[in-house]
Amino acid sequence: MDIEKALEIVRHKLPKKRFEHSVRVAETAVKLAEMFNGDKYNCELAGILHDYCKYDELSEMYQIVIREKLDPALLGFNKELLHGPVAAIKMRDDYGIKNDEILLAISNHTSGRDHMTLNEKIIYVADYIEPERDQKNVDDIRKIVYEDKHLDLAVYEITKATIKHLLKSDKTIYPRTIECLNYYNMVKE
Ligand code: DGI
Ligand code: FE
Ligand code: FE
Ligand code: FE
């Protein structure tokens, strides 16, 4: 799929604000690909497409999890956690994207996981630090990325902050989110 086509399908699928977020994630991901020697095309495409299924029907998402034999633990969660894995399946099946680098980055952009590829880490981080994000720790994360150039530490700090935030509101933590935390805690030095 080329960039123009990706922009077109996302523009027609998502509300304007979510489309604009997707474009900013793609732009941020390209910048990170330049810094960390990633693949700019893969990062741009994954950034544009990562939230494609954000507002899909939850019942359809569950059907896809079952049909595709995705992690059954996903069935205990809602759209917030499912939209990435479901978007990766739709991009593969409905749009013929075969590039695993792109599909993995889309699939794991919310939870992260252990042993992420460079492309996955870039999308995970870009989603959190794109210029319009305003979480209270986001400037600390931007400094870790842009000044210290420490991508693994950024992944760790993002996952830690996400889990803290979820615990405060008594949300259930997805096991892969915890595996991501533990792995990047170990490798961040
Ligand atoms: O789609 P975005 O808003 O751009 O961002 P995202 O896909 O990274 O995150 C969507 C939401 O998912 C975010 O509000 C936090 C939530 N989330 C992340 N990890 C977990 C989670 N929710 C639950 N319940 N459990 C998790 O482990
Ligand atoms: Fe539209
Ligand atoms: Fe998302
Ligand atoms: Fe996003």
Side-chain angles (χ1 to χ4, degrees), residues 148-165:
D148 308 338
K149 302 189 183 355
H150 201 333
L151 198 58
D152 285 347
L153 180 60
V155 170
Y156 174 68
E157 292 294 342
I158 289 167
T159 310
K160 189 170 75 176
T162 300
I163 289 176
K164 279 187 182 176
H165 178 79

PDB file of all heavy atoms in Angstrom, residues 148-165:
ATOM      1  N   ASP A 148      18.294  12.247  25.235  1.00  0.00           N
ATOM      2  CA  ASP A 148      19.128  11.107  25.655  1.00  0.00           C
ATOM      3  C   ASP A 148      19.184  10.015  24.584  1.00  0.00           C
ATOM      4  O   ASP A 148      20.040   9.144  24.650  1.00  0.00           O
ATOM      5  CB  ASP A 148      18.587  10.506  26.964  1.00  0.00           C
ATOM      6  CG  ASP A 148      18.388  11.565  28.050  1.00  0.00           C
ATOM      7  OD1 ASP A 148      19.039  12.627  27.954  1.00  0.00           O
ATOM      8  OD2 ASP A 148      17.572  11.348  28.967  1.00  0.00           O
ATOM      9  N   LYS A 149      18.271  10.061  23.632  1.00  0.00           N
ATOM     10  CA  LYS A 149      18.198   9.071  22.544  1.00  0.00           C
ATOM     11  C   LYS A 149      18.157   7.644  23.089  1.00  0.00           C
ATOM     12  O   LYS A 149      18.874   6.754  22.638  1.00  0.00           O
ATOM     13  CB  LYS A 149      19.357   9.253  21.566  1.00  0.00           C
ATOM     14  CG  LYS A 149      19.400  10.655  20.948  1.00  0.00           C
ATOM     15  CD  LYS A 149      20.425  10.707  19.848  1.00  0.00           C
ATOM     16  CE  LYS A 149      20.610  12.079  19.209  1.00  0.00           C
ATOM     17  NZ  LYS A 149      19.762  13.175  19.600  1.00  0.00           N
ATOM     18  N   HIS A 150      17.312   7.448  24.100  1.00  0.00           N
ATOM     19  CA  HIS A 150      17.262   6.169  24.816  1.00  0.00           C
ATOM     20  C   HIS A 150      15.868   5.559  24.643  1.00  0.00           C
ATOM     21  O   HIS A 150      14.979   5.710  25.477  1.00  0.00           O
ATOM     22  CB  HIS A 150      17.574   6.442  26.292  1.00  0.00           C
ATOM     23  CG  HIS A 150      18.043   5.243  27.040  1.00  0.00           C
ATOM     24  ND1 HIS A 150      17.702   3.952  26.686  1.00  0.00           N
ATOM     25  CD2 HIS A 150      18.826   5.131  28.140  1.00  0.00           C
ATOM     26  CE1 HIS A 150      18.264   3.115  27.534  1.00  0.00           C
ATOM     27  NE2 HIS A 150      18.947   3.790  28.426  1.00  0.00           N
ATOM     28  N   LEU A 151      15.703   4.854  23.518  1.00  0.00           N
ATOM     29  CA  LEU A 151      14.376   4.367  23.139  1.00  0.00           C
ATOM     30  C   LEU A 151      13.845   3.315  24.115  1.00  0.00           C
ATOM     31  O   LEU A 151      12.662   3.326  24.464  1.00  0.00           O
ATOM     32  CB  LEU A 151      14.436   3.806  21.712  1.00  0.00           C
ATOM     33  CG  LEU A 151      13.112   3.629  20.970  1.00  0.00           C
ATOM     34  CD1 LEU A 151      12.344   4.942  20.853  1.00  0.00           C
ATOM     35  CD2 LEU A 151      13.370   3.048  19.573  1.00  0.00           C
ATOM     36  N   ASP A 152      14.702   2.397  24.576  1.00  0.00           N
ATOM     37  CA  ASP A 152      14.231   1.350  25.493  1.00  0.00           C
ATOM     38  C   ASP A 152      13.779   1.942  26.833  1.00  0.00           C
ATOM     39  O   ASP A 152      12.790   1.480  27.414  1.00  0.00           O
ATOM     40  CB  ASP A 152      15.327   0.301  25.734  1.00  0.00           C
ATOM     41  CG  ASP A 152      15.500  -0.632  24.536  1.00  0.00           C
ATOM     42  OD1 ASP A 152      14.629  -0.637  23.644  1.00  0.00           O
ATOM     43  OD2 ASP A 152      16.512  -1.347  24.509  1.00  0.00           O
ATOM     44  N   LEU A 153      14.507   2.948  27.314  1.00  0.00           N
ATOM     45  CA  LEU A 153      14.090   3.598  28.560  1.00  0.00           C
ATOM     46  C   LEU A 153      12.746   4.301  28.364  1.00  0.00           C
ATOM     47  O   LEU A 153      11.887   4.272  29.254  1.00  0.00           O
ATOM     48  CB  LEU A 153      15.157   4.597  29.034  1.00  0.00           C
ATOM     49  CG  LEU A 153      14.834   5.338  30.337  1.00  0.00           C
ATOM     50  CD1 LEU A 153      14.646   4.371  31.501  1.00  0.00           C
ATOM     51  CD2 LEU A 153      15.939   6.357  30.660  1.00  0.00           C
ATOM     52  N   ALA A 154      12.542   4.901  27.196  1.00  0.00           N
ATOM     53  CA  ALA A 154      11.261   5.552  26.900  1.00  0.00           C
ATOM     54  C   ALA A 154      10.127   4.526  26.915  1.00  0.00           C
ATOM     55  O   ALA A 154       9.066   4.770  27.497  1.00  0.00           O
ATOM     56  CB  ALA A 154      11.322   6.265  25.555  1.00  0.00           C
ATOM     57  N   VAL A 155      10.350   3.370  26.307  1.00  0.00           N
ATOM     58  CA  VAL A 155       9.323   2.308  26.319  1.00  0.00           C
ATOM     59  C   VAL A 155       9.006   1.936  27.763  1.00  0.00           C
ATOM     60  O   VAL A 155       7.832   1.825  28.153  1.00  0.00           O
ATOM     61  CB  VAL A 155       9.797   1.059  25.541  1.00  0.00           C
ATOM     62  CG1 VAL A 155       8.851  -0.122  25.766  1.00  0.00           C
ATOM     63  CG2 VAL A 155       9.896   1.370  24.048  1.00  0.00           C
ATOM     64  N   TYR A 156      10.029   1.773  28.578  1.00  0.00           N
ATOM     65  CA  TYR A 156       9.811   1.408  29.983  1.00  0.00           C
ATOM     66  C   TYR A 156       8.998   2.473  30.715  1.00  0.00           C
ATOM     67  O   TYR A 156       8.007   2.163  31.390  1.00  0.00           O
ATOM     68  CB  TYR A 156      11.157   1.186  30.691  1.00  0.00           C
ATOM     69  CG  TYR A 156      10.984   0.951  32.170  1.00  0.00           C
ATOM     70  CD1 TYR A 156      10.376  -0.208  32.645  1.00  0.00           C
ATOM     71  CD2 TYR A 156      11.394   1.912  33.104  1.00  0.00           C
ATOM     72  CE1 TYR A 156      10.177  -0.418  34.002  1.00  0.00           C
ATOM     73  CE2 TYR A 156      11.209   1.717  34.461  1.00  0.00           C
ATOM     74  CZ  TYR A 156      10.595   0.551  34.906  1.00  0.00           C
ATOM     75  OH  TYR A 156      10.396   0.355  36.254  1.00  0.00           O
ATOM     76  N   GLU A 157       9.399   3.727  30.579  1.00  0.00           N
ATOM     77  CA  GLU A 157       8.726   4.797  31.322  1.00  0.00           C
ATOM     78  C   GLU A 157       7.276   4.981  30.846  1.00  0.00           C
ATOM     79  O   GLU A 157       6.390   5.288  31.648  1.00  0.00           O
ATOM     80  CB  GLU A 157       9.504   6.116  31.186  1.00  0.00           C
ATOM     81  CG  GLU A 157      10.867   6.097  31.883  1.00  0.00           C
ATOM     82  CD  GLU A 157      10.781   5.975  33.414  1.00  0.00           C
ATOM     83  OE1 GLU A 157       9.708   6.235  33.988  1.00  0.00           O
ATOM     84  OE2 GLU A 157      11.801   5.593  34.023  1.00  0.00           O
ATOM     85  N   ILE A 158       7.043   4.807  29.557  1.00  0.00           N
ATOM     86  CA  ILE A 158       5.671   4.906  29.030  1.00  0.00           C
ATOM     87  C   ILE A 158       4.812   3.781  29.609  1.00  0.00           C
ATOM     88  O   ILE A 158       3.682   4.009  30.071  1.00  0.00           O
ATOM     89  CB  ILE A 158       5.671   4.840  27.486  1.00  0.00           C
ATOM     90  CG1 ILE A 158       6.259   6.121  26.904  1.00  0.00           C
ATOM     91  CG2 ILE A 158       4.259   4.582  26.946  1.00  0.00           C
ATOM     92  CD1 ILE A 158       6.597   6.035  25.409  1.00  0.00           C
ATOM     93  N   THR A 159       5.340   2.557  29.600  1.00  0.00           N
ATOM     94  CA  THR A 159       4.573   1.410  30.096  1.00  0.00           C
ATOM     95  C   THR A 159       4.296   1.557  31.588  1.00  0.00           C
ATOM     96  O   THR A 159       3.191   1.286  32.063  1.00  0.00           O
ATOM     97  CB  THR A 159       5.334   0.102  29.811  1.00  0.00           C
ATOM     98  OG1 THR A 159       5.727   0.089  28.438  1.00  0.00           O
ATOM     99  CG2 THR A 159       4.456  -1.115  30.078  1.00  0.00           C
ATOM    100  N   LYS A 160       5.303   2.024  32.321  1.00  0.00           N
ATOM    101  CA  LYS A 160       5.144   2.226  33.765  1.00  0.00           C
ATOM    102  C   LYS A 160       4.047   3.259  34.041  1.00  0.00           C
ATOM    103  O   LYS A 160       3.162   3.034  34.869  1.00  0.00           O
ATOM    104  CB  LYS A 160       6.475   2.665  34.379  1.00  0.00           C
ATOM    105  CG  LYS A 160       6.476   2.697  35.895  1.00  0.00           C
ATOM    106  CD  LYS A 160       7.884   2.898  36.444  1.00  0.00           C
ATOM    107  CE  LYS A 160       8.350   4.330  36.271  1.00  0.00           C
ATOM    108  NZ  LYS A 160       9.680   4.575  36.876  1.00  0.00           N
ATOM    109  N   ALA A 161       4.087   4.362  33.318  1.00  0.00           N
ATOM    110  CA  ALA A 161       3.082   5.416  33.532  1.00  0.00           C
ATOM    111  C   ALA A 161       1.693   4.929  33.138  1.00  0.00           C
ATOM    112  O   ALA A 161       0.703   5.229  33.823  1.00  0.00           O
ATOM    113  CB  ALA A 161       3.460   6.659  32.719  1.00  0.00           C
ATOM    114  N   THR A 162       1.613   4.168  32.046  1.00  0.00           N
ATOM    115  CA  THR A 162       0.316   3.641  31.608  1.00  0.00           C
ATOM    116  C   THR A 162      -0.274   2.716  32.659  1.00  0.00           C
ATOM    117  O   THR A 162      -1.456   2.819  33.006  1.00  0.00           O
ATOM    118  CB  THR A 162       0.481   2.884  30.267  1.00  0.00           C
ATOM    119  OG1 THR A 162       0.994   3.794  29.289  1.00  0.00           O
ATOM    120  CG2 THR A 162      -0.845   2.308  29.779  1.00  0.00           C
ATOM    121  N   ILE A 163       0.565   1.819  33.189  1.00  0.00           N
ATOM    122  CA  ILE A 163       0.077   0.870  34.201  1.00  0.00           C
ATOM    123  C   ILE A 163      -0.341   1.605  35.478  1.00  0.00           C
ATOM    124  O   ILE A 163      -1.393   1.317  36.050  1.00  0.00           O
ATOM    125  CB  ILE A 163       1.140  -0.220  34.478  1.00  0.00           C
ATOM    126  CG1 ILE A 163       1.234  -1.152  33.265  1.00  0.00           C
ATOM    127  CG2 ILE A 163       0.799  -1.020  35.730  1.00  0.00           C
ATOM    128  CD1 ILE A 163       2.310  -2.221  33.355  1.00  0.00           C
ATOM    129  N   LYS A 164       0.450   2.567  35.900  1.00  0.00           N
ATOM    130  CA  LYS A 164       0.084   3.355  37.095  1.00  0.00           C
ATOM    131  C   LYS A 164      -1.274   4.012  36.900  1.00  0.00           C
ATOM    132  O   LYS A 164      -2.120   4.002  37.794  1.00  0.00           O
ATOM    133  CB  LYS A 164       1.122   4.458  37.343  1.00  0.00           C
ATOM    134  CG  LYS A 164       2.367   4.023  38.046  1.00  0.00           C
ATOM    135  CD  LYS A 164       3.200   5.274  38.354  1.00  0.00           C
ATOM    136  CE  LYS A 164       4.513   4.935  39.027  1.00  0.00           C
ATOM    137  NZ  LYS A 164       5.330   6.144  39.217  1.00  0.00           N
ATOM    138  N   HIS A 165      -1.461   4.580  35.720  1.00  0.00           N
ATOM    139  CA  HIS A 165      -2.714   5.258  35.395  1.00  0.00           C
ATOM    140  C   HIS A 165      -3.896   4.280  35.405  1.00  0.00           C
ATOM    141  O   HIS A 165      -4.955   4.581  35.957  1.00  0.00           O
ATOM    142  CB  HIS A 165      -2.556   5.909  34.020  1.00  0.00           C
ATOM    143  CG  HIS A 165      -3.778   6.600  33.518  1.00  0.00           C
ATOM    144  ND1 HIS A 165      -4.150   7.848  33.945  1.00  0.00           N
ATOM    145  CD2 HIS A 165      -4.725   6.206  32.629  1.00  0.00           C
ATOM    146  CE1 HIS A 165      -5.280   8.189  33.340  1.00  0.00           C
ATOM    147  NE2 HIS A 165      -5.643   7.219  32.540  1.00  0.00           N
TER     148      HIS A 165
END
